Amino acid sequence: MIKSFQHKGLEKFFHEGSKAGIQPKHAEKLSIQLFALNRAKSPGDVNVPGWNLHAMQGDFKGHWSIKVNGN
């Protein structure tokens, strides 16, 4: 489940649907990903082909990441 957001635009998109703080072309995929992340109980729950689920390293060790876009 999503516990917090660091990106204010993403948080506003999640709660209100506002695209003001995100790239509008990512809105559809972000919506799907945020729904999946919010329902996930473990990282494996979002191990979807094309999302490139991977564990972070360094200061973010213990956190996980997925891709929205190539960058």
Side-chain angles (χ1 to χ4, degrees):
M1 92 177 94
I2 297 173
K3 294 181 181 180
S4 64
F5 288 87
Q6 294 234 333
H7 189 280
K8 297 299 179 192
L10 194 57
E11 182 176 20
K12 192 169 183 177
F13 176 69
F14 180 70
H15 291 296
E16 302 172 17
S18 171
K19 297 178 188 174
I22 64 165
Q23 291 187 35
K25 66 182 179 181
H26 295 156
E28 185 176 345
K29 187 171 184 182
L30 277 172
S31 182
I32 293 166
Q33 288 179 323
L34 290 170
F35 178 78
L37 287 167
N38 198 44
R39 295 195 63 208
K41 302 291 184 213
S42 70
D45 293 343
V46 291
N47 193 11
V48 176
W51 287 11
N52 193 28
L53 174 70
H54 59 282
M56 302 295 286
Q57 298 178 356
D59 291 342
F60 292 103
K61 190 172 186 172
H63 292 91
W64 293 79
S65 176
I66 59 173
K67 282 188 180 177
V68 175
N69 190 7
N71 294 332

